[in-house]
Amino acid sequence: SGARGRVVLTADGTPAGEVGDGNRKDIRDAVEAAKAAASGWAARTPYNRAQILYYLAENLSARRAEFAARLAQTGADGAAEVDAAIARLFTYGALADKWGGTVQETPLRGLTVAMHEPIGVIGIACPDDQPLLGTVTLAAAAIAMGNAVVLIPSEQHPLSATDLYQVLDTSDLPGGVINIVTGARDELAKTLAEHADVDAMWYFGPHAGAAMVERASVHNLKRTWT
């Protein structure tokens, strides 16, 4: 992220680490990387995307203790959350090649094929609750169907998401498919929602932030889920 940093605190208020304090340029760079990766990722077979999600789950499982310890710093049951995140990756891996569409009969002895296609670049602002599970669930749902992601992790507890980068790098996921920008959730979400190359926004946060995202998304008619 940008030149500035922000200190991340544990549940008892002691410093746990530091992450970048993302800015508009970081979002622009992340969107550019996601857009460059989107078409190639969408062109992968669903089977290949499924295999990469399974690989992500296996690599996260190999580092279960490390991620559990990180999450325990937030006051959570770290082991349970890591296990849930691993299970979620396996679930979306299983669904990646089973959600392609349907074939419908028509009245005049014909067939209509309804295909599910990727949206493109999706901006995601994650919740603070269960920061690893939230990040994994939202990112995996999007990439399973061939989308690229610019993701804002939990503002309070971003370290499990930044640690996840090391898992992504060792799991054959192409560069640019998942881009993580840490910092102030609503400031970054506003920039994402205003960006013309972002095709959809998925926002978790207060009602005021949800309304802001919907207003900012109007100019290029983004799909929004808040």
Side-chain angles (χ1 to χ4, degrees):
S1 289
R4 300 177 300 164
R6 55 171 55 205
V7 175
V8 179
L9 302 178
T10 65
D12 62 8
T14 59
E18 187 172 335
V19 296
D21 196 7
N23 55 33
R24 295 179 66 88
K25 183 180 185 303
D26 296 316
I27 291 292
R28 290 196 300 269
D29 290 345
V31 171
E32 184 177 341
K35 187 177 181 184
S39 58
W41 180 243
R44 297 282 186 109
T45 64
Y47 174 79
N48 180 244
R49 294 198 298 268
Q51 292 302 106
I52 290 174
L53 283 163
Y54 288 141
Y55 197 15
L56 279 168
E58 291 165 358
N59 286 337
L60 180 57
S61 180
R63 298 178 60 177
R64 178 180 181 274
E66 175 188 340
F67 276 84
R70 174 71 82 188
L71 290 165
Q73 294 178 328
T74 71
D77 183 343
E81 185 171 343
V82 176
D83 287 344
I86 293 167
R88 200 63 53 85
L89 285 167
F90 278 123
T91 296
Y92 282 116
L95 289 172
D97 59 355
K98 299 175 182 67
W99 203 255
T102 58
V103 177
Q104 301 289 338
E105 294 185 34
T106 62
L108 300 177
R109 298 179 58 82
L111 294 174
T112 299
V113 178
M115 296 292 293
H116 293 147
E117 296 184 337
I119 295 170
V121 176
I122 301 180
I124 300 176
C126 294
D128 285 321
D129 295 340
Q130 297 184 296
L132 176 65
L133 183 59
T135 296
V136 164
T137 298
L138 300 174
I143 69 171
M145 294 305 298
N147 301 289
V149 168
V150 178
L151 186 141
I152 306 164
S154 162
E155 184 174 345
Q156 295 179 14
H157 309 298
L159 292 175
S160 61
T162 56
D163 290 346
L164 196 63
Y165 256 137
Q166 298 167 6
V167 177
L168 301 178
D169 287 344
T170 57
S171 302
D172 293 342
L173 186 73
V177 174
I178 295 179
N179 307 271
I180 299 173
V181 182
T182 55
R185 178 196 55 223
D186 285 0
E187 291 179 20
L188 297 175
K190 184 174 186 293
T191 302
L192 263 179
E194 291 172 343
H195 201 299
D197 288 333
V198 176
D199 302 296
M201 278 291 300
W202 201 352
Y203 173 89
F204 285 79
H207 291 299
M212 173 273 293
V213 164
E214 290 176 348
R215 285 195 303 270
S217 297
V218 167
H219 77 286
N220 74 331
L221 298 179
K222 287 179 181 63
R223 303 184 193 188
T224 60
W225 300 274
T226 58

